[in-house]
Amino acid sequence: MQRFFIYIFLFIFFFLLFGWYFSNITSYLILSLILAALLRPLTNRLNDFHLLGQHIPRWLAILISYSSIILLLITLSLLFFPLINNQIQILSNLDLNTIYQQIQIPISNFEQTLIRYKLLDSQPGFLFEEFRKNIINTISSFDVGNFIGTVIDTTSSLAIGLMAIAFITFFLLFENGILRRNLLNLIPNPYFELSVATFTKVEKLLSNYLSGLLLQMLAIFTLASIGLSLMGIEYALTIALFAAVANLIPYAGPILGAGFGIIVGVSTGTFLESADITYLLLKILAVFGVVQLTDNILLQPLIFSKTVKAHPLEIFVIIFAGAKLAGIIGMIFAIPVYTIFRVSILEFFKGYKSYRIFKIKSTN
């Protein structure tokens, strides 16, 4: 009996070690499992659909499911095109001399204050001249070739990752349940019933968690878009969509969403007085404050406590442990990975007390 649990802990240890060493492969596999779980209901429905008296082939059902995801991404990305076009026009119409003149006034006032209180020993105009020199040096030292190389490397890595995820997801959907069956085939017969119960519970909790996460994103998008629209903020849907996606990152997501909203609001708005900017910031922060309160008080307890059956403090520690191990990716996947190991360990200990096979081995 002790040997069995030693094998279990050794398996978990080497699994984590493999996942850490081959982090890219592990991330591709995890993303593929999540994508397969999301597309499996649609794929199964399409596969069961009769066309001219024949089932739609499963490979065709998978391709149609892929097409639906691609169409959804294209539709959502269209929300960003007007904003990007607006920013390009703003950048193309920038007058650097006017910007320098506008910046010079607050810098000069700050410099005079420092000189008045003898905190700076220099001639008037020194700070602005240094600021201008630093800007020029930064622009002149910009390495275009290195930047293009970085963009190409990033694009290549992203393309390889997308192809790997699409390839793995296709076979997970095509061979429906193959990974689950292969893992169960490795389990000895005496522990088969316990293993099936564990797999079933893990799958149910992860399915509930993913469904809850999608519901959370939809709720945040709806609340943010309605609030920003009522406040008269331009590109409300775009900001709300970014905030909903950013909210996948625990704790940091809401800050990113609010920051993006402020940047978009300031860069696209027209202000006659400085008070107008302050009023705009207050409106955006008020909307995201309400969204965040709703998320913390209502949405997150329902999703985390009800779906993964874990205490909020437990979730808090796990998320920051994931951030320490793998940064933002670790924060996003901390709860699902923790749920798998938590449920597995609890079920095996429960089986140790309840299942007949363990009792027989203990008496021997």
Side-chain angles (χ1 to χ4, degrees):
M1 185 59 238
Q2 293 179 351
R3 183 181 301 175
F4 175 76
F5 280 105
I6 291 174
Y7 289 154
I8 292 293
F9 284 114
L10 285 176
F11 172 78
I12 294 173
F13 172 76
F14 284 111
F15 179 81
L16 292 174
L17 183 64
F18 176 86
W20 173 77
Y21 190 77
F22 298 99
S23 57
N24 287 342
I25 299 175
T26 305
S27 61
Y28 295 159
L29 181 59
I30 292 174
L31 288 172
S32 299
L33 289 170
I34 293 173
L35 188 58
L38 293 174
L39 292 180
R40 185 170 288 112
L42 177 60
T43 303
N44 290 340
R45 284 182 176 273
L46 291 171
N47 188 214
D48 293 336
F49 185 77
H50 286 79
L51 184 65
L52 300 177
Q54 298 291 329
H55 284 288
I56 293 180
R58 190 161 185 84
W59 63 268
L60 182 58
I62 296 171
L63 293 181
I64 295 174
S65 300
Y66 274 16
S67 301
S68 65
I69 292 293
I70 294 172
L71 182 62
L72 177 63
L73 292 176
I74 292 174
T75 303
L76 294 177
S77 64
L78 290 176
L79 292 175
F80 286 89
F81 286 160
L83 175 61
I84 295 172
N85 183 54
N86 179 276
Q87 297 302 309
I88 292 174
Q89 290 180 357
I90 292 174
L91 291 174
S92 62
N93 295 326
L94 282 179
D95 186 356
L96 293 180
N97 292 325
T98 303
I99 294 174
Y100 277 136
Q101 291 175 3
Q102 291 176 347
I103 294 175
Q104 187 174 8
I105 296 174
I107 291 180
S108 298
N109 294 334
F110 178 67
E111 184 182 42
Q112 289 174 6
T113 302
L114 293 178
I115 293 175
R116 185 183 306 119
Y117 291 99
K118 298 181 180 180
L119 297 175
L120 181 66
D121 185 16
S122 63
Q123 296 296 323
F126 172 77
L127 285 181
F128 177 75
E129 187 62 28
E130 287 296 315
F131 174 79
R132 190 178 66 82
K133 287 181 180 178
N134 287 331
I135 294 294
I136 293 174
N137 290 334
T138 301
I139 296 174
S140 61
S141 62
F142 180 73
D143 191 346
V144 178
N146 186 39
F147 175 76
I148 294 175
T150 302
V151 171
I152 293 174
D153 290 341
T154 304
T155 305
S156 301
S157 300
L158 183 62
I160 293 172
L162 289 175
M163 287 193 300
I165 292 170
F167 182 81
I168 297 172
T169 304
F170 180 87
F171 280 98
L172 288 175
L173 290 172
F174 188 76
E175 301 288 347
N176 194 19
I178 187 172
L179 183 62
R180 186 176 189 270
R181 292 194 299 271
N182 288 338
L183 288 175
L184 290 176
N185 287 335
L186 299 175
I187 305 296
N189 288 332
Y191 311 108
F192 185 79
E193 184 180 354
L194 174 62
S195 301
V196 170
T198 303
F199 271 103
T200 303
K201 191 168 184 179
V202 168
E203 287 179 345
K204 183 178 179 181
L205 287 177
L206 290 181
S207 177
N208 292 340
Y209 174 73
L210 290 175
S211 301
L213 209 56
L214 290 176
L215 182 62
Q216 181 193 29
M217 292 175 63
L218 180 61
I220 289 174
F221 173 77
T222 303
L223 290 173
S225 58
I226 292 175
L228 293 171
S229 299
L230 292 176
M231 291 294 181
I233 307 298
E234 292 189 67
Y235 304 104
L237 294 178
T238 306
I239 298 172
L241 177 61
F242 182 88
V245 175
N247 205 71
L248 290 173
I249 306 172
Y251 303 107
I255 299 174
L256 293 175
F260 180 77
I262 290 172
I263 292 172
V264 172
V266 171
S267 63
T268 58
T270 54
F271 310 102
L272 300 177
E273 299 178 0
S274 59
D276 295 338
I277 300 179
T278 304
Y279 183 54
L280 175 72
L281 296 180
L282 289 176
K283 291 193 294 184
I284 295 175
L285 291 176
V287 171
F288 278 100
V290 172
V291 171
Q292 185 61 20
L293 284 174
T294 305
D295 185 35
N296 290 336
I297 296 174
L298 182 62
L299 298 178
Q300 287 192 16
L302 286 176
I303 292 172
F304 296 150
S305 300
K306 303 296 182 182
T307 59
V308 300
K309 309 292 184 183
H311 192 276
L313 181 59
E314 197 176 349
I315 295 296
F316 179 84
V317 174
I318 290 302
I319 287 174
F320 278 89
K324 179 67 175 177
L325 291 174
I328 293 177
I329 299 297
M331 295 179 74
I332 295 174
F333 292 110
I335 297 176
V337 172
Y338 171 69
T339 300
I340 294 173
F341 288 108
R342 177 176 174 271
V343 172
S344 300
I345 293 173
L346 289 177
E347 286 296 310
F348 272 103
F349 273 106
K350 179 181 176 182
Y352 174 69
K353 296 179 179 180
S354 305
Y355 281 75
R356 182 171 176 270
I357 181 64
F358 294 112
K359 294 180 180 180
I360 293 175
K361 292 202 171 187
S362 297
T363 55
N364 292 338

